[in-house]
Amino acid sequence: MASRVYLKLAGLGIAASMICAMAGIGCTKNPDQTKMQYVPDMADSAALKSQRDFLQPPEGAVTRTAILYPATIEDAEKNLQNPIPPSAEASAQGKSLWNKFCIPCHGSAGDSNGSITDVYPKPPNIVAKDYPVHKDGFFFYTITFGGALMPSYGHAISPEERWLIAHYIHDLQRMAK
Ligand code: HEC
């Protein structure tokens, strides 16, 4: 009789430790302490907060490859200078880029008669006589960030190419006069 009770208790003990093992818990009295450490290096590594780097960059730091753009289009127009001097070659390259990227909405002449303007909102006629005179920084910024309706092209058109397009926009405006 006594031995049968003992066997039953032993059975419960084995069952309990199997449950603990299956659940992956130590079942010790101290909840912070596990009986066995699986892969101790990982368990003991310095805890990092999620989404954080080991070293926090100093306040206001930017990546070495960052291009710092002016915050507003007015700033861009005032402070950004086209580093590429106007030339026939710059215009030719600007034209080729315009014809690749801008033509569907703005049209080949810049008069907003692009082929998709029957379904897509018409952009302003940027070669119209009453269109304000803008400096290259304005066009650079518009190409980089787009507008309320115009898509941004900063990811697809390099800064150099944006300056070439700015030259060509002036050519289109001169041609429309
Ligand atoms: C998918 C159509 C679309 C394409 C492609 C497009 N634009 Fe536009 N663009 C617009 C629309 C619409 C506007 C009107 C402003 C707004 O609300 O975004 C605009 C406005 C402009 C303006 C006038 C901004 C102003 O306020 O006077 C310029 C300059 C311009 N685009 C240049 C370009 C250049 C350069 C390209 C090619 C790199 C280009 N756009 C490609 C649709 C387009």
Side-chain angles (χ1 to χ4, degrees):
M1 183 64 182
S3 65
R4 277 175 72 184
V5 169
Y6 174 76
L7 271 178
K8 265 193 184 158
L9 285 176
L12 279 176
I14 290 167
S17 48
M18 275 172 75
I19 290 167
C20 289
M22 277 158 70
I25 47 175
C27 293
T28 52
K29 288 204 177 104
N30 182 350
D32 295 332
Q33 215 175 37
T34 51
K35 258 186 186 166
M36 182 190 77
Q37 274 196 354
Y38 175 68
V39 195
D41 285 353
M42 285 177 80
D44 294 338
S45 65
L48 280 180
K49 291 211 163 119
S50 55
Q51 314 292 325
R52 293 288 160 85
D53 270 331
F54 280 97
L55 188 65
Q56 287 301 301
E59 186 83 11
V62 291
T63 58
R64 283 191 307 122
T65 50
I67 305 172
L68 299 178
Y69 289 106
T72 63
I73 196 159
E74 290 81 14
D75 270 5
E77 178 153 32
K78 209 164 108 200
N79 300 319
L80 292 184
Q81 306 288 333
N82 192 334
I84 303 168
S87 67
E89 202 198 328
S91 289
Q93 287 176 325
K95 179 180 182 176
S96 154
L97 290 159
W98 173 274
N99 289 348
K100 276 191 199 115
F101 290 104
C102 321
I103 233 176
C105 301
H106 289 273
S108 59
D111 55 2
S112 74
N113 282 322
S115 57
I116 66 166
T117 50
D118 47 345
V119 287
Y120 196 88
K122 236 182 195 326
N125 179 347
I126 61 172
V127 299
K129 294 213 161 40
D130 57 352
Y131 183 74
V133 176
H134 282 300
K135 294 206 183 109
D136 289 2
F138 178 92
F139 300 125
F140 183 92
Y141 191 96
T142 305
I143 300 168
T144 308
F145 296 110
L149 298 166
M150 177 177 147
S152 59
Y153 284 91
H155 65 288
I157 303 179
S158 72
E160 196 198 350
E161 291 172 328
R162 288 172 233 168
W163 292 122
L164 292 168
I165 295 174
H167 279 311
Y168 187 61
I169 291 175
H170 293 302
D171 292 344
L172 287 174
Q173 290 173 333
R174 272 190 292 271
M175 283 186 253
K177 271 190 184 148

